[in-house]
Amino acid sequence: MNKVLASVVAACFLGAPAQFLAMSNYDDPRVVLSYMDRSLAGARDILRLNTSVEGDTHLVFEIKTRAPEQPPEAGDYVLLQLSQGRAVQLLVPIDPALGDAVLDYQRDLAPGGEAPGLAGSVLKPGSGRGVFTARRVPRGIEFLVPLAWVDFGEKISFDAFTVKGQPTPTTFQVEAVYDQAGKGQKTRPRHSPITLLNKLCATRK
């Protein structure tokens, strides 16, 4: 464990400094609220993206949707996008019968550091195969990202989507985007990983 990560982990257990407890809720990284869209099937309608820290090993990104009113289609996926030097896309099928294995892809960021649009894009294989895991929770998915994977020298942003797509042996074709947690925002806030973890640790029960 590197020195930066070790210091952040220590802060989680010893209590974060007061300045983090007093931080404004503006651009709060702990939750992204997404308005309900009744035109979408429940499993495709994202309600919120919650961020937390688990132990001293993982960041947890919990994507909550409405309770499904109909069985999900085979080509429907929940997608977590992490942007830090590159845009990493982690996908899990919405249908529990298709398993919880995480599909890992990535793309280069557009000029200015923003992740390009997903609809119609072709995702290429990522470099973190086997690093990321996921688990199902009521009305949602939790993605577990190892803290050791995070680059503490570069800001990070994240967003959640529900998409229709088709995996191939080497790529993933995004055919349509149903919903986005951060819809309506032109850009996603970018956070220092150290500040993010301190804020998560300060409010952890």
Side-chain angles (χ1 to χ4, degrees), residues 156-175:
I156 187 170
S157 65
F158 39 85
D159 207 344
F161 303 80
T162 50
V163 303
K164 180 178 181 62
Q166 181 63 46
T168 73
T170 57
T171 63
F172 187 92
Q173 172 73 53
V174 181
E175 298 173 355

Side-chain angles (χ1 to χ4, degrees), residues 83-86 109 150-157 190-194:
S83 299
Q84 193 182 41
R86 64 192 184 283
L109 294 177
V150 177
D151 181 353
F152 282 86
E154 187 164 357
K155 289 186 176 181
I156 187 170
S157 65
R190 299 174 67 234
H191 308 280
S192 159
I194 295 175

Side-chain angles (χ1 to χ4, degrees), residues 109-144:
L109 294 177
E114 290 298 319
L118 282 170
S121 63
V122 177
L123 311 180
K124 62 184 180 181
S127 57
R129 299 276 167 155
V131 170
F132 308 103
T133 55
R135 58 196 178 202
R136 297 188 184 272
V137 296
R139 296 184 294 121
I141 295 283
E142 288 184 341
F143 288 90
L144 283 76

